[in-house]
Amino acid sequence: MPQPLKQQLKPQKLSDIILAQLENMIIEGSLQPGEKLLPERELAKQFEVSRPSLREAVQKLEAKGLVTRKQGGGTFVSKNIMKSFAEPLFNLMANNNESQFDLLEFRHGIEGMASFYAAMRGTSADFEHIQAKHDQIGNCQLEDDFRLEAQAVYEFYMAICSASHNAVILHTARSMSALLIDNIEQNLTVLAKRPDIFSKITDFRKNLLEAIISQQPKKAWGASHRHLAFIEEVLLKLTQENSRMERSMRRM
């Protein structure tokens, strides 16, 4: 019986090993879009490799479109890797009332899942990060700037997505950053007509934070849904009230 041919396994190149590690850092969010990589010398020291091997790995990242280089300015994680919506579609959705409710429904799903897994898998460092982002919302509220507050709220939820340690959740939320921030800002602008509810929204968000930090996944999921359901209910009521007022004005 003929003996099977033995295939010679080629040793993996060191640059490919470094490339895989850098790609994993981008996937898991350790390296974020627009973030500057450490200088070549420091990266080589961090990975305990020679500078030529590191340089080759970075060149491969650049060829894949994952990083960009600026002459004399360093190497940056590409911002374009997170773009998934064409501008015309974004503009249509951003200015459509029904799309704003669609985005709220989308948030029910993704923020609920992120909260569940963050409570289940989050580390102490993750919880500290989430707490810091939560506190930042309060600081932004003092500025009386809805855009600034919306960005802070988005960063709070991104910290939760990161703590979920689910790359799909993290990057899906990141890819929709502009739409989500716009949705949050529009909601805040409408809800400002009812100052009495702001304290309730703050309480809902605090309950969510506590459920995640106390590592109670089901409670965190429930807290996320109650928070968004409350916002949706208030927005629907305000929309109906505005419609009634417009009809009354037309009759007059």
Side-chain angles (χ1 to χ4, degrees):
M1 177 180 285
Q3 295 293 321
L5 294 173
K6 290 184 178 179
Q7 293 183 342
Q8 290 187 343
L9 296 175
K10 292 183 179 179
Q12 191 174 11
K13 289 185 66 175
L14 187 56
S15 61
D16 289 333
I17 295 173
I18 303 166
L19 172 66
Q21 290 184 32
L22 288 169
E23 286 177 336
N24 282 336
M25 292 173 73
I26 292 173
I27 289 172
E28 70 183 15
S30 300
L31 288 173
Q32 299 186 19
E35 184 176 343
K36 184 178 180 180
L37 270 63
L38 290 173
E40 189 178 275
R41 183 189 300 275
E42 292 182 39
L43 265 182
K45 186 176 180 181
Q46 178 179 316
F47 286 110
E48 299 181 344
V49 296
S50 66
R51 291 176 70 178
S53 293
L54 175 72
R55 194 175 301 127
E56 186 178 348
V58 173
Q59 286 171 350
K60 290 177 180 178
L61 271 183
E62 186 178 17
K64 289 185 173 187
L66 295 172
V67 298
T68 55
R69 294 190 187 191
K70 294 182 181 178
Q71 190 66 34
T75 303
F76 298 80
V77 179
S78 175
K79 293 180 179 179
N80 294 328
I81 59 175
M82 298 314 303
K83 288 185 177 177
S84 64
F85 282 91
E87 275 193 26
L89 178 60
F90 165 76
N91 290 332
L92 281 173
M93 294 182 74
N95 295 295
N96 182 279
N97 287 334
E98 284 302 313
S99 292
Q100 295 304 312
F101 283 103
D102 288 344
L103 280 167
L104 259 179
E105 290 178 3
F106 169 80
R107 288 176 59 194
H108 267 287
I110 199 163
E111 290 175 20
M113 286 189 294
S115 300
F116 180 89
Y117 288 116
M120 179 187 289
R121 302 170 179 161
T123 65
S124 56
D126 289 328
F127 298 149
E128 287 178 14
H129 184 53
I130 294 171
Q131 178 74 63
K133 292 299 182 181
H134 176 270
D135 295 344
Q136 186 60 32
I137 296 172
N139 296 334
C140 290
Q141 287 172 337
L142 298 175
E143 300 293 330
D144 198 25
D145 183 332
F146 291 138
R147 188 67 180 180
L148 196 64
E149 185 178 346
Q151 289 169 339
V153 171
Y154 170 77
E155 288 298 328
F156 169 63
Y157 286 115
M158 283 306 302
I160 294 173
C161 289
S162 180
S164 75
H165 295 279
N166 182 305
V168 176
I169 289 175
L170 174 64
H171 292 295
T172 299
R174 253 199 203 133
S175 70
M176 298 182 68
S177 60
L179 277 173
L180 293 174
I181 292 171
D182 185 76
N183 176 249
I184 295 168
E185 182 185 12
Q186 289 196 36
N187 293 344
L188 290 173
T189 303
V190 175
L191 295 173
K193 299 172 183 176
R194 292 280 304 275
D196 55 304
I197 69 163
F198 266 87
S199 60
K200 292 181 181 178
I201 292 175
T202 300
D203 289 341
F204 276 117
R205 202 179 287 130
K206 198 174 294 182
N207 291 339
L208 172 60
L209 172 70
E210 290 172 356
I212 292 173
I213 290 177
S214 62
Q215 298 179 289
Q216 300 181 70
K218 290 183 179 179
K219 188 175 178 181
W221 186 301
S224 174
H225 279 281
R226 282 190 292 275
H227 174 214
L228 292 170
F230 176 74
I231 292 174
E232 187 173 12
E233 182 184 354
V234 174
L235 288 174
L236 282 169
K237 284 181 179 178
L238 288 174
T239 302
Q240 290 167 359
E241 287 173 10
N242 288 338
S243 297
R244 281 197 296 270
M245 287 178 65
E246 287 172 5
R247 287 198 300 271
S248 298
M249 291 297 292
R250 284 198 299 270
R251 287 172 186 146
M252 290 172 65

